[in-house]
Amino acid sequence: MTGNAEWIKRGEQVFVGTYSRFPAAMVKGRGCRLWDADGREYLDFLAGIAVCSLGHCHPAVTEAVCRQAGELMHVSNLFHTRPQIELAELLTQNSFADRVFMANSGAEANEAAIKLARIHAGEGRFEIISLSGSFHGRTLATVAATGQPKFHQGFEPLPEGFIHAGFGDPAALEELISDKTCAILCEPLQGESGVRPLEPEYLQAIRNLCDKHNLLLIFDEVQTGLGRTGTLFAHEQLGVTPDIMTLAKALGNGLPIGAMLTTDDIAASLGVGTHASTFGGNPVAAAGAVAVLKTMLAPGFLDQVRERSAYFMERLEEVAARFPHLATGVRGRGLLLGLVLTEKGCDLGMDIVNQLFARGVLINFAGGRVLRFIPPLIVEAEDIDLLIDRLVEVLNGC
C-alpha cells in the first residue's frame, strides 16, 4: 500500500505550489480522528479549518450525501431541487433572513454579498468598509475587502471601492463613511488574524452607524456560523442583527457549499440574471447541509457545545497560568479559541504547531500571535484533556 512519502512525492510533481502542507497524506477520518497513509492516528483540533464541525464522516451527513448521489447529483439552477429548497427553508426559519443565494464557498458567498450591497445602494454608492485584520476570501474582490496587506501583495491593482478601518474604533470608522459608502462588512470574531472577538458594544456601534448613514451591515459568518461559537450564528449572542449574512465552511461538513442570506426587501435588488452559480447549492451538497443543520438544531446540541467550550477555556487558562513566559491568556467564543502567546511564544508558534503534529495533534498558528483551536463541535472532554496533555509536553520543552 502506498504511504505518505509516495503520495507526497506524486503531489509535489503536479500541484501549483500555493500551500505549505504538513507531511501527511490523510486517507480516513472518523469523528475527531484522522489517519494518514502510513496508518498514523491524529487528534484533529483543526477540523478542516472550521469545516468538519460534526466531525469526520458523520453518519447522518454521510447517509444523506450517499442517498442523494444515487438519486440526482446536478441539474443546475435552471431547475428547482428538493434538497436546495429544504436547506433554504431551514436557514430562513432559523435566522433573521427571508431569502438565500446558494454558492460553493465563503469567498463566493461574500462576492454575492458585495454585489448585492452595491446594486441595492444604487449608482455612485459602491464603497465597502471592512476592518483591519479581517479575512473575507481569496478572489480579487474578497482579497481587496480583506484587511491584511500580506494577502494583497503581488495582485495589485486590486478592485477599487474597498476601505479598511482600524479595529475597535467606531469614531475612526465613521470618518471613512462618505456619500460613496454602501455597506460595512465584518466578522463577529476575526479567526484568521488571531481569534479576535468583536465586543458587543463595538458591533452595536457599527450597527448604529449603518442605521445612521443608511448603510447595509454585512456579517461574514463563514467561520463563526453554524454552532462554532455556541449559538447557531455568532451574532445571536451579541445582540446585533445584520442585513446580510454569509455562511460556508461548516454548512456542508466537508462538501463545498456557501450561502448568502438577506431580507425580502434587500434581496429584491438582485433580479433574474444579475448573479448566478452553476454549482451553487447542488443537490448533493445541499442534502449534506440539510443533515448538518438538522443535527445542530436537535435539542441539546448547542448546549453541549457551550459546555465543552467552558471546559476547554478553563483548561487553556490553566496552561496560560502555568507558562506565563509563553502565553498571556485565552480568547475566543464557543469552540473557536486561541491561546495568546507572548513575544517569546510567538517566535515559537509554528514550532509548537509542528511539535504537536509530531505528537499526533493538529492545530494551527493564526495571525502570528495565537495558537488556534477549532475542533469538531462533537469533541469530548477526554479529547480536550489529551490535547492539553500534549500541549503541556511541548511547552515544557520550550
Side-chain angles (χ1 to χ4, degrees):
M1 184 179 293
T2 305
N4 282 333
E6 180 62 24
W7 281 117
I8 292 168
K9 179 181 178 182
R10 289 168 61 177
E12 289 176 346
Q13 292 172 345
V14 292
F15 287 121
V16 176
T18 56
Y19 299 103
S20 177
R21 303 179 194 256
F22 287 98
M26 300 301 182
V27 297
K28 186 175 75 170
R30 292 290 186 278
C32 296
R33 299 298 194 278
L34 285 167
W35 288 265
D36 67 19
D38 289 340
R40 187 161 185 237
E41 180 180 317
Y42 300 85
L43 176 62
D44 186 4
F45 270 60
L46 189 54
I49 315 180
V51 168
C52 299
S53 286
L54 297 183
H56 299 282
C57 298
H58 188 278
V61 179
T62 299
E63 191 277 331
V65 167
C66 291
R67 183 180 67 250
Q68 185 61 47
E71 294 176 353
L72 180 69
M73 293 189 68
H74 178 75
V75 292
S76 86
N77 285 304
L78 295 177
F79 302 92
H80 299 281
T81 61
R82 184 174 59 191
Q84 190 184 78
I85 294 167
E86 291 176 346
L87 176 57
E89 287 175 341
L90 282 170
L91 288 170
T92 55
Q93 289 164 3
N94 292 281
S95 73
F96 71 93
D98 308 303
R99 301 283 173 171
V100 181
F101 175 84
M102 297 289 183
N104 303 289
S105 67
E108 287 188 22
N110 284 333
E111 287 269 354
I114 289 166
K115 290 179 70 174
L116 175 56
R118 285 186 169 187
I119 198 170
H120 182 74
E123 187 175 354
R125 298 183 65 198
F126 60 91
E127 289 184 348
I128 293 176
I129 301 173
S130 57
L131 304 180
S132 62
S134 62
F135 182 85
H136 299 294
R138 297 282 194 162
T139 65
L140 274 176
T142 55
V143 162
T146 291
Q148 299 187 60
K150 67 181 181 180
F151 293 111
H152 304 165
Q153 294 170 7
F155 302 110
E156 301 90 349
L158 295 173
E160 64 177 318
F162 297 94
I163 300 171
H164 307 117
F167 185 91
D169 189 344
L173 194 160
E174 186 169 21
E175 291 178 1
L176 298 175
I177 296 172
S178 72
D179 57 5
K180 296 180 181 179
T181 310
C182 67
I184 297 174
L185 166 64
C186 61
E187 305 151 276
L189 184 158
Q190 292 185 347
E192 297 302 319
S193 64
V195 191
R196 296 202 298 177
L198 277 65
E199 296 303 321
E201 298 78 13
Y202 181 35
L203 279 179
Q204 185 60 60
I206 295 174
R207 174 75 269 180
N208 293 342
L209 287 176
C210 288
D211 295 340
K212 176 181 177 181
H213 295 279
N214 191 28
L215 310 176
L216 295 181
L217 176 57
I218 306 170
F219 277 173
D220 177 342
E221 290 232 29
V222 169
Q223 186 164 146
T224 60
L226 286 308
R228 177 52 58 183
T229 65
T231 48
L232 192 62
F233 308 114
H235 71 265
E236 293 179 281
Q237 60 194 268
L238 301 172
V240 180
T241 302
D243 301 298
I244 302 171
M245 175 173 65
T246 57
L247 304 171
K249 286 191 179 288
L251 185 57
N253 206 58
L255 289 175
I257 187 169
M260 184 270 292
L261 284 66
T262 191
T263 63
D264 278 326
D265 178 62
I266 298 168
S269 296
L270 279 179
V272 174
T274 55
H275 196 47
S277 171
T278 298
F279 294 104
N282 83 82
V284 176
V290 167
V292 168
L293 275 171
K294 287 183 176 179
T295 301
M296 290 186 177
L297 291 168
F301 182 89
L302 293 172
D303 291 334
Q304 187 176 47
V305 173
R306 291 189 287 270
E307 290 172 8
R308 292 287 184 268
S309 170
Y311 180 69
F312 194 11
M313 186 168 285
E314 179 184 331
R315 295 303 319 270
L316 286 173
E317 287 171 346
E318 292 172 4
V319 172
R322 182 170 175 178
F323 298 95
H325 61 297
L326 296 174
T328 64
V330 182
R331 65 190 183 200
R333 295 190 178 101
L335 288 171
L336 174 50
L337 299 177
L339 183 66
V340 185
L341 302 181
T342 63
E343 184 175 342
K344 178 182 179 181
C346 289
D347 292 339
L348 298 170
M350 276 309 303
D351 183 57
I352 294 169
V353 170
N354 289 329
Q355 288 196 51
L356 281 170
F357 171 79
R359 288 168 169 78
V361 177
L362 307 180
I363 68 164
N364 76 338
F365 186 44
R369 185 67 194 274
V370 165
L371 297 178
R372 180 171 57 166
F373 307 93
I374 37 179
L377 303 182
I378 61 167
V379 67
E380 298 287 351
E382 293 79 7
D383 299 320
I384 293 170
D385 290 339
L386 178 57
L387 174 280
I388 295 296
D389 289 345
R390 299 283 170 82
L391 179 60
V392 168
E393 285 179 18
V394 171
L395 297 184
N396 273 329
C398 292

